[in-house]
Amino acid sequence: MRRLALASFLLLAACATRQQPTTENVPTPPPASTAQEPRQLLGLTAPELVGHFGNPALQIREGNSLKLQFRARRCVLDAYLYPSSGGQYRVTHVDTRARSGVDTDQAACISDLENPS
C-alpha cells in the first residue's frame, strides 16, 4: 500500500508543471555611493585616509602594522594597514563599532565620519 501511495505521489509530481517566472522589467537599484562603501577604503594609504577623514584620534604601530583610529560622534573606525609589495602601508582591514563597543554598520560609520554634525 505504501509503495502504491509513493508511486502515485511521484507520478503526480512528475506531471505537475513548473510555473515560469514572469519577465517583468524590474528596475535595478542605483549603485550605492562609493564614498560609503567600506571596500573603497581597502588599499588606501595612511595619507589618503588622513586626507579623507582628517587626523586620526589614535595611531598605533605594532610590528610591521599600523592602526589608525578615527572617531565620529556615534562610532569608531579602525583601519589596519600593512606594507604592500611597493613598501607603502595600505589598508587591508576596516573595523567599525559604536562608541559602546557594539559592532556597527561600516557604511553608516563612514558616512558619519564624512559628514560630522
Side-chain angles (χ1 to χ4, degrees):
M1 185 67 171
R2 279 191 205 168
R3 289 184 185 172
L4 181 61
L6 181 59
S8 298
F9 177 74
L10 291 175
L11 183 62
L12 287 173
C15 294
T17 60
R18 176 183 266 175
Q19 184 178 3
Q20 295 296 326
T22 60
T23 57
E24 294 178 23
N25 288 336
V26 178
T28 57
S33 167
T34 56
Q36 294 180 359
E37 294 180 12
R39 68 177 168 268
Q40 293 300 324
L41 297 179
L42 298 180
L44 293 181
T45 63
E48 289 170 334
L49 279 175
V50 171
H52 193 75
F53 295 126
N55 289 328
L58 184 66
Q59 178 175 331
I60 299 173
R61 286 195 181 273
E62 187 173 313
N64 69 338
S65 68
L66 173 65
K67 172 184 166 183
L68 298 180
Q69 186 176 90
F70 299 92
R71 297 178 188 156
R73 193 179 65 182
R74 291 178 288 218
C75 67
V76 176
L77 181 143
D78 293 322
Y80 298 91
L81 298 89
Y82 289 88
S84 64
S85 58
Q88 273 213 337
Y89 282 78
R90 295 197 175 271
V91 177
T92 60
H93 181 74
V94 175
D95 209 15
T96 55
R97 63 185 177 280
R99 289 213 172 230
S100 64
V102 178
D103 285 342
T104 189
D105 180 59
Q106 285 187 359
C109 187
I110 290 169
S111 178
D112 205 20
L113 284 163
E114 291 173 336
N115 306 302
S117 48

